[in-house]
């Protein structure tokens, strides 16, 4: 019995040994790779580039006051449509002490002068009526009286302007009324009632009361890399896609390419402006992020192969043509001349390939 178990043990050991050897042998054999097959086809290929940028009004106007003071009333809000000359806001003037004092002093002097001229004229008038004074003297004193009255009226008007910013002679054209200088849509009102504002002058830019733009005249402003700028031309058609609007595809035309590059994070880029058509862009808003798709080159109805089957070595391109499939796939390396590529398909200019030519694709696992 012991002898039987001993023999059985050796048999088991032998089977394990042989099985291990067979397993290692089979795994050491190189598994034959099998490839999918691709075929040339007739395609229309476009080489495109994408410009990133945003939608902007062609002209965005900052409305600024002609006088310093405090906002007392705002008559518009963002989104309102305004016409040229419409009142946007009203300003309450806070007069400077020196200007107010000067204006008050001028009124006092004018009143004193008027009183003196008035007395002189009254004496001359009495004497003229009694034939003791000449008509020439009478008319001279009368003219002086009128000038004194005008001087007082002007001084009081100047005082009113200093105090209130409003001229009695032109209340409707007062500098305290901030008016739109263009017709368009109010994009932003960056001030509130009670805010102090400063008029624009040579020393400062002044406070912006509102931003107004014509939203029927929009442009795309984007950037293009220096490696592609020479492929663009003014007048080229582009398609604008807006990220916030699904499936958007707005036609536009390149109207300006910057003559000088700007440095952005170490990369030279050129600014590009493209005009959108008013009838197509009615629902667009200023500031939308957008991409402009530009067709740089295109070919139609040409023989093409998938870019993935092409092998590049230096400046030459090759494909692997199937020569036999039994018992195993066999391929021949063949040089081809390529043309335009869109990253997925590449044009084949050489005449050796046909639509029925099977080419080596990816490995089938």
């Amino acid at each position: 019995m012991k002898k039987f178990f001993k023999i059985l043990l050796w048999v088991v050991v032998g089977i394990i040994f042989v099985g291990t050897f067979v397993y290692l042998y089979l795994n050491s054999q190189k598994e034959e790779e099998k490839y999918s097959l691709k075929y040339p086809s007739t395609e229309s290929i476009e080489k495109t580039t994408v410009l990133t940028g945003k939608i902007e009004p062609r002209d965005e106007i900052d409305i600024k006051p002609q006088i310093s003071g405090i906002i007392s009333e705002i008559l518009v809000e963002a989104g309102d449509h305004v016409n040229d000359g419409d009142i946007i806001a009203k300003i309450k003037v806070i007069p400077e002490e020196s200007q107010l004092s000067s204006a008050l002093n001028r009124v006092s002097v004018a009143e004193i002068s008027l009183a003196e001229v008035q007395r002189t004229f009254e004496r001359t008038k009495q004497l003229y009526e009694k034939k003791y004074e000449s008509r020439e003297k009478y008319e001279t004193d009368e003219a002086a009286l009128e000038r004194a009255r005008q001087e007082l009226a002007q001084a009081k008007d100047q005082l009113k302007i200093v105090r209130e910013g409003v001229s009695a002679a032109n209340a409707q054209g007062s500098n305290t009324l901030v008016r739109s200088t263009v017709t368009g849509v109010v994009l932003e009102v960056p001030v509130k009632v009670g805010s102090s504002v400063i008029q624009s002058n040579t020393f400062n830019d002044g406070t912006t009361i509102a931003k107004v733009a014509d939203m029927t005249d929009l442009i795309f402003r984007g950037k293009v890399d220096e490696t592609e700028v020479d492929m663009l031309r003014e007048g080229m058609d582009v398609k604008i896609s807006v990220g916030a609007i699904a499936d958007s595809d707005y036609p536009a035309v390149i109207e300006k390419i910057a003559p000088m590059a700007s440095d952005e994070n170490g990369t030279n880029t050129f600014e590009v402006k493209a005009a959108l058509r008013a009838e197509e862009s009615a629902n667009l808003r200023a500031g939308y992020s957008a991409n402009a798709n530009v067709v740089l080159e295109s070919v139609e109805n040409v023989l093409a192969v998938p870019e993935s089957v092409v092998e590049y070595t230096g400046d030459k391109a090759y494909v692997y043509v199937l020569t036999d499939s039994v018992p195993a796939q066999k391929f021949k390396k063949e040089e081809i001349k390529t043309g335009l590529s869109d990253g997925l398909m590449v044009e084949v200019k050489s005449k050796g390939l046909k639509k029925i030519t099977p080419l080596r694709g990816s490995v089938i696992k």
Side-chain angles (χ1 to χ4, degrees):
M1 183 63 69
K2 290 183 178 181
K3 186 176 180 180
F4 172 77
F5 282 112
K6 188 175 182 180
I7 293 172
L8 181 61
L9 178 63
W10 280 107
V11 171
V12 173
V13 171
I15 292 173
I16 294 174
F17 177 77
V18 172
T20 303
F21 177 78
V22 172
Y23 175 78
L24 293 175
Y25 173 78
L26 293 176
N27 278 279
S28 66
Q29 299 300 305
K30 184 176 181 180
E31 185 178 350
E32 182 182 343
E33 292 182 327
K34 189 173 182 180
Y35 296 89
S36 63
L37 297 179
K38 303 291 183 181
Y39 294 87
S41 59
T42 301
E43 304 286 344
S44 294
I45 300 175
E46 292 182 342
K47 181 181 180 181
T48 63
T49 187
V50 177
L51 315 181
T52 58
K54 61 181 181 178
I55 304 299
E56 297 179 354
R58 182 183 300 280
D59 296 309
E60 183 178 309
I61 307 300
D62 291 344
I63 308 299
K64 300 185 177 183
Q66 296 178 314
I67 194 169
S68 298
I70 294 177
I71 298 290
S72 61
E73 188 176 359
I74 297 176
L75 304 177
V76 297
E77 60 183 17
D80 289 349
H81 184 275
V82 294
N83 294 316
D84 185 6
D86 285 353
I87 299 175
I88 289 178
K90 296 181 180 180
I91 297 176
K92 177 182 178 182
V93 176
I94 305 299
E96 294 183 5
E97 288 299 325
S98 59
Q99 293 181 344
L100 181 59
S101 176
S102 177
L104 287 170
N105 184 62
R106 181 180 176 184
V107 171
S108 298
V109 171
E111 288 175 341
I112 294 172
S113 177
L114 176 60
E116 181 180 356
V117 173
Q118 180 76 41
R119 289 192 297 271
T120 300
F121 174 74
E122 291 296 334
R123 287 194 298 269
T124 302
K125 182 180 179 181
Q126 291 176 3
L127 293 174
Y128 174 72
E129 290 174 349
K130 294 179 180 180
K131 309 297 183 180
Y132 294 137
E133 192 61 83
S134 66
R135 183 177 181 82
E136 181 181 0
K137 172 64 173 173
Y138 173 79
E139 291 176 348
T140 300
D141 288 352
E142 186 179 35
L145 176 61
E146 185 60 29
R147 285 196 300 271
R149 288 171 177 167
Q150 290 292 332
E151 178 62 28
L152 178 59
Q154 187 176 1
K156 288 181 176 180
D157 192 46
Q158 184 62 38
L159 177 61
K160 186 177 179 65
I161 292 174
V162 171
R163 278 179 170 168
E164 304 173 13
V166 179
S167 170
N170 187 22
Q172 291 299 315
S174 168
N175 289 344
T176 61
L177 303 178
V178 181
R179 299 176 183 272
S180 176
T181 57
V182 294
T183 297
V185 176
V186 178
L187 301 181
E188 182 185 7
V189 181
V191 296
K192 298 179 180 179
V193 173
S195 299
S196 297
V197 295
I198 303 174
Q199 70 180 102
S200 178
N201 53 43
T202 56
F203 301 102
N204 58 68
D205 293 333
T207 306
T208 298
I209 303 295
K211 293 183 178 182
V212 180
D214 181 2
M215 293 300 290
T216 63
D217 188 8
L218 300 177
I219 63 170
F220 166 84
R221 189 190 300 270
K223 298 285 186 178
V224 62
D225 190 84
E226 62 180 345
T227 59
E228 296 179 330
V229 68
D230 283 342
M231 299 181 185
L232 302 182
R233 296 288 182 274
E234 293 179 4
M236 290 181 69
D237 292 328
V238 299
K239 294 291 185 180
I240 308 297
S241 59
V242 178
I245 302 176
D247 301 323
S248 57
D249 193 18
Y250 298 95
V253 177
I254 294 178
E255 63 178 21
K256 201 69 176 178
I257 302 172
M260 186 176 73
S262 58
D263 187 357
E264 290 192 1
N265 300 322
T267 302
N268 283 340
T269 59
F270 291 81
E271 185 178 77
V272 177
K273 295 180 182 178
L276 288 96
R277 297 174 186 171
E279 63 275 11
E280 300 284 348
S281 58
N283 63 332
L284 292 181
R285 299 177 183 273
Y288 268 152
S289 297
N291 292 327
N293 299 287
V294 188
V295 178
L296 302 177
E297 298 178 72
S298 65
V299 290
E300 295 184 357
N301 301 321
V302 296
L303 190 67
V305 297
E307 187 80 47
S308 59
V309 307
V310 182
E311 181 181 286
Y312 295 94
T313 304
D315 58 351
K316 294 183 178 181
Y318 301 90
V319 292
Y320 289 87
V321 179
L322 180 70
T323 59
D324 196 358
S325 59
V326 180
Q329 290 178 327
K330 293 182 181 180
F331 296 92
K332 178 182 70 173
K333 188 176 183 180
E334 185 173 320
E335 183 180 354
I336 61 172
K337 184 179 180 181
T338 59
L340 190 63
S341 171
D342 62 3
L344 297 176
M345 302 294 291
V346 58
E347 176 189 5
V348 178
K349 292 186 174 181
S350 52
K351 299 181 180 180
L353 298 184
K354 298 180 180 178
K355 288 185 179 181
I356 60 173
T357 304
L359 305 176
R360 189 179 79 179
S362 57
V363 176
I364 299 176
K365 296 183 180 179

